[in-house]
Amino acid sequence: MQVNIEIERNKLKHAIAEIIKDSRLSRHKSISLICAEIGMTKSMWADLEKGIKDPQLSTLFRIAEALDIPLSKLIIQLENKLGDNFSFIN
């Protein structure tokens, strides 16, 4: 069975979106504050929280720093959200 990479990429983007939005809201941080801290536009952040953008690792690192969580914890949350069967390859 062939993996549909675009479907898997969308799952990944939406999982990232949910994690960063939930983390931001639980820490009561505004989008404006985080964007100022990490040098990102508010529209880019909004696209991340909507699952439109697929951030680079360096961007995820900056996001984790702004949310005061280790990148490793963000990755673990992502792995948990995606589940054991998530894969880009067979």
Side-chain angles (χ1 to χ4, degrees):
M1 182 172 142
Q2 178 111 11
V3 174
N4 186 324
I5 293 176
E6 203 53 42
I7 290 172
E8 297 302 296
R9 182 175 287 135
N10 283 332
K11 288 179 190 175
L12 178 65
K13 289 188 297 188
H14 286 355
I16 291 169
E18 192 173 319
I19 290 167
I20 63 171
K21 184 174 184 176
D22 290 348
S23 296
R24 179 182 62 78
L25 293 174
S26 70
R27 285 160 178 76
H28 307 289
K29 285 193 149 187
S30 72
I31 291 173
S32 296
L33 176 64
I34 290 175
C35 289
E37 288 177 347
I38 64 175
M40 178 183 290
T41 65
K42 289 187 268 184
S43 64
M44 170 83 171
W45 185 273
D47 286 349
L48 287 170
E49 283 196 2
K50 292 176 188 171
I52 295 170
K53 295 284 185 186
D54 187 0
Q56 295 180 348
L57 184 57
S58 59
T59 302
L60 278 179
F61 201 102
R62 291 179 9 235
I63 289 168
E65 285 183 320
L67 295 171
D68 301 318
I69 57 175
L71 179 61
S72 58
K73 184 176 178 182
L74 192 146
I75 298 298
I76 289 168
Q77 290 175 336
L78 187 56
E79 288 175 330
N80 290 337
K81 187 164 288 298
L82 292 170
D84 292 336
N85 294 325
F86 179 83
S87 177
F88 282 109
I89 58 175
N90 290 338

